[in-house]
Amino acid sequence: MKSIILQTATRYLLPMLLLFSFFLLFRGHNSPGGGFVGGLVASAAYALYSIAFGVEEAKKLLRIEPVYLIATGLMLALFSGMIAFFSFDTFMTAKWSDLNFPLFGKLGTPLLFDLGVYIVVIGITLKILFTISEEVKP
Amino acid sequence: MLLFSVLSGIIVACLVPFLFKFGRKPASIIISMVPLSLFLYYLFNFGITDNLGYSESIEFFPALGVNLNFVMDSYALIFALIITGIGTAVFFYSSYYLAEHPYLDRFYIYISIFMASMLGIVTSDNMVIMFIFWELTSISSFLLIGFKHREEKSRYSAWQALLVTGSGALALLAGILLLYVITGKMNFSEINAMPGIIQSSTLFLPAMFLVLGGAFTKSAQMPFHFWLPNAMEAPTPVSAYLHSATMVKAGIYLMARINPAFQGAIEWETTLTIFGGITMLFAAYMALKQTDLKRILAYTTLSVLGTLTLLIGIGTPLAMQAMLVYLIAHALYKGTLFLVAGAIDHGTGTRNIDEIGGLRKFMPITAVAATLAAFSMAGVLPLFGFIGKELLYEAALQPNLFGYTTFAIVFLAALFGVVAAGMSAIFPFFGQAKYPNSKPHEASFTMYSGYVITAFLGLLFGLLPMIVSDNVAKAVSDIYYNLPVAVSSSMYLALWHGFNLVLFLSLATLALGIVILMFRKKLFAIIRKINLPEYLLPSKGYDMSISILIASARLTTKVLQNGYLRNYITLILITLLILTSYSLFTFSDLSVISLYHPVTIYEIIIAAIITISTILVVKSSGRLQAVAALGVVGIFVAVVFSIYGAPDLAMTQYSIETLTVILFVLVIYKLPKFMHYSKFSHRMQDFFLASAVGLTMTILILMVTANEMPTEFKEYYGKTSYLLGKGRNIVNVILVDYRALDTLGEIVVLSLAALGVFALLKLKKDDRGFE
């Protein structure tokens, strides 16, 4: 089921969807968005790619085994909670830097946590997607 | 610094895989340096300087009173030094003993975690934190007992140890919570200061027995003892470390630690004396029936654990002193003997005492260490065990609840101890040379250096008891409520107490023991023939409850999870229906519902689209159509969300719907067409169920919206979201800040679900016999 139209469109859509997912992730703190939706959009991008080019190509594009993404995301989320230990605060106390960055706004541990959620969601969705599509292969 | 020293084992465990990249030998040496440096840290920072009572506190869950409070007092120091000291010997020993083992790295991970959790138990002042470490020791012990996981017996023993100590730990947790209910305090130091309040409470007995449930299972008291001999399936260094020197003493530690709160209560003293006495005698007898070196040592360990419990039960300052001395002496000689047993196993290939003898010619250094340890175990002058035995007799002769019965039991157990010492450590090395296979060889330096040092420490402490005397006296005042200063300052240890009754009794024990050993052949033949009837053994009870558990799990699985997704959904919906409608129609006032709501035109359109697509889902004859129609339902539910001002929810719903449809399409793309439809009667059943659920949910939502919504949460989040959470999107700030812990839990669950999908699809029938 290879379609030139879909493939060409996907080539342009993939980077845009990924950019959009980052946008959602970073704006989440002040406007609708966030790590969960961002992660879903990013996985939708890869899902689209795997429909257009096949799962093998999508895996090649991702380069990294989704299970590692799950692990990385969980560790990141956990670590963001542990940063508070360094100032002898309780687990998950939010820490903010006072600097204001363009695009990101203020940087703080909740943003890191959200990034962890984002990565975990991509890992989970793609792991399920890849596993199922491999299984149904003739 | 104290907190860091406790957790360093866990940190090292995380580094082990990377260290092993530099080679096995250097890695194991580097890891073995950790207990050594901890030992030196505790020794120089707390042992030699007068820094005791040092405490550290970090807030953890202040709302629940659960904080990281760590205290290093004399009592904790004794344990900390045993844990790290024996730990050093065991870590070095393992680097050679398990040098060829493919999973050496895992071994070091487990045992480092174990060491850290053990240090955590003895230094935590907060009971809940102690409990967490307590559970960690059970888990790491499970992994270590089941280290040879390809063997059925290892797995069985590991499960047994985990289930017995784990269920005991649940009792302990309940006990801790009851103590919290009684006193409102979470720290040992606070609880121990209010024995009056605790003992006059009606909850005192439940709390005490629950705490004892934890301590008895961990310290393998009768009738929970059976897991300990089975735990000998673990590699020998593990037995030496966990199952003689440290973990099994955690229960003893706890009983003495909490003693000030329970002290003086007649139930406390009676229970401990009875259980300790029975364990002591029964285990000593069982030891004589064994031929496996490690099992003999396991049963003598049990006997000693009984002795220690009994001493806490006697409860006088002298008994406490005896308990501590006996505990130190035991850790030194039993650690040595287990490591020696491993060396014998390594050198000869067997642990059967009937097959070995006269090994001193081949293993001279090990023979010296074994002899010293055996003498300490038997209580021979001038070893540390002798002082322990003298104190034990003195304490048992003091007036107590059971009079001379106590002494008689103690005497018998000590006598068996002498015999067991001969069996396990003297006869393998002396007499006629005997070995099953090739010529035995001496252990290497990394192996024997550890147990030679512990053996000689037993001699050193015996000759110069003043090294430990002072600290033991201080430790007694840590575990005894209101110890008079005069008593504490008059407590000192000495090797020679003059010619008195106790000395005579000690000598009599030795002499009798030697006589028994001389006639051992005939005696053992008799003892090995006597077997308890099987149904009397508590381990049968364990096996039975496990099989009942498995049978009931099978039954519920058969009924509730029969593999048909439609039945699961039916069951879930029926449960939902019953519970919701029950509370809805019994507890709430349905008259507040008003059926007149203004409806806009686009609401009608959305409702119509949703309804039509639902009908399409049910009626469609192809899978693809059904999935597409289901997707339309989902998308329009999301439209509802966006109309009513929940953009975050709507966005998520859109993406989820898209991905679900993609997944569905991937799956059904390969599936055949519908073969047959469900029967009309089934469809009618489903229809009624669906309608009933729909109706109930509608009424529920009408109820919810008819009442006024409490606004305080909304106001609170609205006010603080930007000030505290630094974000204007309240939904997201709740997710990543206020309730981040929930989110963390959710993403863990999601990850497990992904792994579950992977495992279910990849696990083929032919691999493991599963479908």
Side-chain angles (χ1 to χ4, degrees):
Chain A
M1 197 183 68
K2 297 264 149 78
S3 135
I4 303 251
I5 301 174
L6 188 62
Q7 288 188 346
T8 317
T10 305
R11 262 189 249 277
Y12 291 100
L13 275 173
L14 181 85
M16 276 162 67
L17 278 171
L18 285 181
L19 264 181
F20 181 60
S21 76
F22 277 123
F23 169 71
L24 283 176
L25 166 68
F26 289 118
R27 84 197 279 263
H29 219 56
N30 289 319
S31 333
F36 196 78
V37 184
L40 286 176
V41 169
S43 2
Y46 280 101
L48 180 66
Y49 195 86
S50 74
I51 289 174
F53 292 92
V55 176
E56 288 310 313
E57 289 299 313
K59 273 188 179 169
K60 253 184 230 160
L61 186 74
L62 187 66
R63 285 200 189 158
I64 183 168
E65 163 65 23
V67 169
Y68 291 125
L69 284 179
I70 299 181
T72 315
L74 283 180
M75 294 286 254
L76 203 61
L78 191 70
F79 174 72
S80 79
M82 283 162 51
I83 288 179
F85 286 162
F86 293 110
S87 57
F88 293 97
D89 274 310
T90 55
F91 184 56
M92 289 273 174
T93 308
K95 293 279 152 205
W96 293 93
S97 75
D98 289 331
L99 298 169
N100 243 323
F101 290 88
L103 199 69
F104 300 122
K106 274 190 176 155
L107 280 187
T109 52
L111 191 64
L112 205 59
F113 184 84
D114 224 7
L115 185 65
V117 174
Y118 174 85
I119 296 174
V120 171
V121 169
I122 298 180
I124 292 167
T125 322
L126 293 185
K127 183 78 215 170
I128 296 179
L129 188 78
F130 289 167
T131 314
I132 289 183
S133 50
E134 259 173 30
E135 197 54 31
V136 295
K137 227 187 297 172
Chain B
M1 222 14 225
L2 190 53
L3 173 66
F4 177 72
S5 75
V6 168
L7 295 181
S8 57
I10 291 174
I11 299 168
V12 170
C14 298
L15 298 177
V16 166
F18 304 103
L19 285 173
F20 265 73
K21 293 242 153 71
F22 298 107
R24 299 159 66 86
K25 203 84 210 164
S28 24
I29 298 297
I30 291 172
I31 297 161
S32 306
M33 289 299 172
V34 176
L36 181 63
S37 40
L38 285 176
F39 178 78
L40 295 174
Y41 165 70
Y42 292 132
L43 185 66
F44 286 105
N45 214 4
F46 301 107
I48 291 174
T49 58
D50 212 15
N51 201 5
L52 289 163
Y54 172 80
S55 66
E56 266 177 25
S57 179
I58 297 172
E59 286 202 335
F60 189 59
F61 276 123
L64 296 175
V66 179
N67 292 314
L68 295 165
N69 298 339
F70 289 91
V71 175
M72 182 61 94
D73 58 7
S74 296
Y75 179 54
L77 179 69
I78 291 176
F79 275 90
L81 288 179
I82 290 176
I83 292 162
T84 50
I86 305 284
T88 309
V90 167
F91 274 54
F92 275 109
Y93 183 93
S94 312
S95 74
Y96 190 86
Y97 186 81
L98 292 172
E100 308 297 321
H101 203 286
Y103 296 142
L104 185 63
D105 43 355
R106 290 191 198 175
F107 175 82
Y108 275 116
I109 292 176
Y110 302 155
I111 207 160
S112 306
I113 292 176
F114 170 77
M115 183 183 69
S117 19
M118 209 49 222
L119 285 173
I121 290 181
V122 300
T123 49
S124 306
D125 193 25
N126 192 290
M127 292 194 292
V128 173
I129 298 293
M130 191 234 33
F131 172 77
I132 293 172
F133 285 118
W134 183 281
E135 287 286 63
L136 268 177
T137 60
S138 289
I139 293 166
S140 43
S141 154
F142 165 74
L143 294 167
L144 285 165
I145 297 172
F147 188 61
K148 300 177 213 152
H149 58 85
R150 291 192 187 281
E151 286 165 32
E152 170 87 45
K153 244 175 133 188
S154 286
R155 295 199 300 270
Y156 173 81
S157 309
W159 271 116
Q160 195 176 49
L162 182 71
L163 290 176
V164 173
T165 56
S167 34
L170 287 180
L172 172 63
L173 180 63
I176 289 172
L177 294 178
L178 280 188
L179 284 174
Y180 178 70
V181 170
I182 298 171
T183 59
K185 306 285 183 202
M186 273 290 184
N187 291 329
F188 283 117
S189 49
E190 292 165 326
I191 284 196
N192 282 344
M194 39 177 85
I197 297 172
I198 292 173
Q199 292 179 22
S200 58
S201 159
T202 47
L203 289 175
F204 164 59
L205 281 184
M208 186 194 94
F209 282 118
L210 286 169
V211 169
L212 279 183
F216 279 3
T217 46
K218 199 77 166 176
S219 281
Q221 300 293 308
M222 280 279 277
F224 308 114
H225 66 282
F226 51 89
W227 69 265
L228 183 57
N230 285 341
M232 293 301 127
E233 290 300 321
T236 308
V238 174
S239 312
Y241 195 29
L242 274 70
H243 306 124
S244 83
T246 56
M247 188 180 84
V248 288
K249 298 227 174 78
I252 305 292
Y253 166 83
L254 178 68
M255 287 187 262
R257 173 58 88 197
I258 211 155
N259 180 59
F262 295 156
Q263 186 185 314
I266 194 103
E267 298 90 348
W268 172 249
E269 296 182 348
T270 322
T271 316
L272 290 191
T273 316
I274 291 176
F275 278 88
I278 293 176
T279 309
M280 181 179 189
L281 205 58
F282 168 79
Y285 161 74
M286 285 299 285
L288 301 186
K289 290 169 66 85
Q290 311 300 322
T291 51
D292 181 350
L293 206 49
K294 275 178 78 180
R295 285 185 88 89
I296 299 176
L297 294 175
Y299 277 109
T300 55
T301 304
L302 268 179
S303 177
V304 170
L305 293 170
T307 313
L308 298 174
T309 309
L310 176 105
L311 283 169
I312 300 172
I314 293 175
T316 55
L318 181 68
M320 292 298 177
Q321 191 193 19
M323 193 274 288
L324 290 168
V325 171
Y326 213 69
L327 185 136
I328 301 171
H330 175 256
L332 289 175
Y333 72 69
K334 195 53 70 63
T336 311
L337 287 180
F338 263 113
L339 295 178
V340 165
I344 291 178
D345 194 7
H346 205 265
T348 66
T350 183
R351 295 197 308 249
N352 189 335
I353 51 164
D354 291 342
E355 291 179 8
I356 45 178
L359 295 178
R360 72 173 191 286
K361 294 188 196 83
F362 312 103
M363 311 172 79
I365 301 169
T366 307
V368 172
T371 311
L372 279 177
F375 280 0
S376 190
M377 182 170 169
V380 177
L381 204 77
L383 284 118
F384 198 49
F386 172 77
I387 303 180
K389 188 151 293 176
E390 294 241 299
L391 282 170
L392 173 66
Y393 281 171
E394 265 184 60
L397 282 170
Q398 277 187 319
N400 64 65
L401 290 170
F402 296 90
Y404 284 106
T405 323
T406 317
F407 177 76
I409 293 174
V410 167
F411 183 80
L412 268 178
L415 186 61
F416 281 145
V418 176
V419 179
M423 281 163 66
S424 60
I426 301 296
F427 292 125
F429 289 99
F430 295 89
Q432 196 82 49
K434 205 164 47 159
Y435 44 86
N437 305 315
S438 55
K439 220 170 164 195
H441 60 83
E442 177 62 286
S444 76
F445 176 75
T446 34
M447 266 173 93
Y448 69 61
S449 51
Y451 59 76
V452 166
I453 290 174
T454 49
F456 272 96
L457 275 180
L459 181 63
L460 182 73
F461 287 175
L463 291 171
L464 303 167
M466 53 287 253
I467 302 175
V468 287
S469 180
D470 198 30
N471 197 62
V472 167
K474 276 189 204 150
V476 172
S477 61
D478 287 334
I479 55 177
Y480 191 90
Y481 184 60
N482 261 343
L483 186 71
V485 183
V487 177
S488 159
S489 57
S490 71
M491 268 185 187
Y492 58 92
L493 298 174
L495 189 60
W496 186 248
H497 281 262
F499 293 99
N500 54 18
L501 177 67
V502 172
L503 177 70
F504 167 72
L505 286 170
S506 287
L507 294 179
T509 321
L510 266 181
L512 255 175
I514 292 168
V515 171
I516 292 178
L517 280 174
M518 274 158 51
F519 296 101
R520 67 182 187 281
K521 292 243 165 69
K522 279 179 194 160
L523 191 72
F524 288 177
I526 299 169
I527 288 180
R528 281 179 196 173
K529 261 185 213 148
I530 310 170
N531 281 318
L532 284 176
E534 272 216 328
Y535 56 84
L536 265 183
L537 297 176
S539 53
K540 285 287 148 205
Y542 166 83
D543 286 338
M544 225 163 75
S545 43
I546 292 296
S547 46
I548 291 173
L549 186 72
I550 290 174
S552 58
R554 283 230 174 86
L555 192 72
T556 44
T557 313
K558 220 175 184 176
V559 174
L560 298 177
Q561 303 197 314
N562 50 9
Y564 292 105
L565 201 58
R566 53 178 179 273
N567 290 2
Y568 293 9
I569 294 176
T570 313
L571 212 61
I572 292 170
L573 289 182
I574 289 176
T575 318
L576 175 87
L577 194 63
I578 293 172
L579 293 179
T580 319
S581 53
Y582 172 72
S583 63
L584 202 61
F585 294 115
T586 38
F587 302 120
S588 20
D589 175 21
L590 292 178
S591 62
V592 293
I593 298 175
S594 90
L595 289 173
Y596 303 102
H597 288 274
V599 180
T600 57
I601 182 73
Y602 50 80
E603 281 171 339
I604 294 174
I605 295 173
I606 291 170
I609 293 175
I610 291 180
T611 318
I612 292 167
S613 350
T614 313
I615 293 171
L616 267 179
V617 173
V618 182
K619 295 300 277 181
S620 73
S621 55
R623 294 174 197 273
L624 204 58
Q625 291 97 306
V627 168
L630 201 59
V632 172
V633 174
I635 296 282
F636 274 87
V637 170
V639 172
V640 175
F641 290 148
S642 38
I643 291 175
Y644 289 101
D648 278 286
L649 198 54
M651 273 162 73
T652 315
Q653 174 88 2
Y654 285 130
S655 339
I656 289 277
E657 281 306 326
T658 316
L659 283 167
T660 319
V661 170
I662 292 176
L663 280 178
F664 262 131
V665 169
L666 273 176
V667 174
I668 61 169
Y669 187 58
K670 301 284 172 191
L671 288 180
K673 282 201 162 182
F674 284 133
M675 293 300 282
H676 52 85
Y677 296 98
S678 35
K679 276 186 219 143
F680 182 72
S681 57
H682 274 173
R683 297 198 141 215
M684 285 321 278
Q685 270 178 28
D686 292 350
F687 174 73
F688 281 116
L689 182 64
S691 317
V693 172
L695 198 66
T696 319
M697 289 314 286
T698 311
I699 298 175
L700 184 72
I701 287 171
L702 285 175
M703 279 291 299
V704 170
T705 46
N707 292 309
E708 236 174 88
M709 302 284 265
T711 52
E712 47 216 271
F713 297 115
K714 214 167 147 187
E715 275 169 18
Y716 170 77
Y717 285 124
K719 260 186 215 156
T720 57
S721 172
Y722 192 67
L723 294 175
L724 297 176
K726 316 228 184 242
R728 274 184 292 267
N729 179 0
I730 299 177
V731 177
N732 202 55
V733 174
I734 289 176
L735 281 178
V736 298
D737 200 342
Y738 291 107
R739 297 241 148 250
L741 198 61
D742 294 357
T743 312
L744 187 64
E746 276 154 26
I747 56 177
V748 170
V749 170
L750 277 178
S751 312
L752 287 178
L755 295 181
V757 169
F758 178 68
L760 277 177
L761 288 178
K762 291 287 165 183
L763 204 70
K764 289 288 158 38
K765 196 176 182 179
D766 42 300
D767 287 352
R768 296 267 307 271
F770 289 119
E771 229 170 314

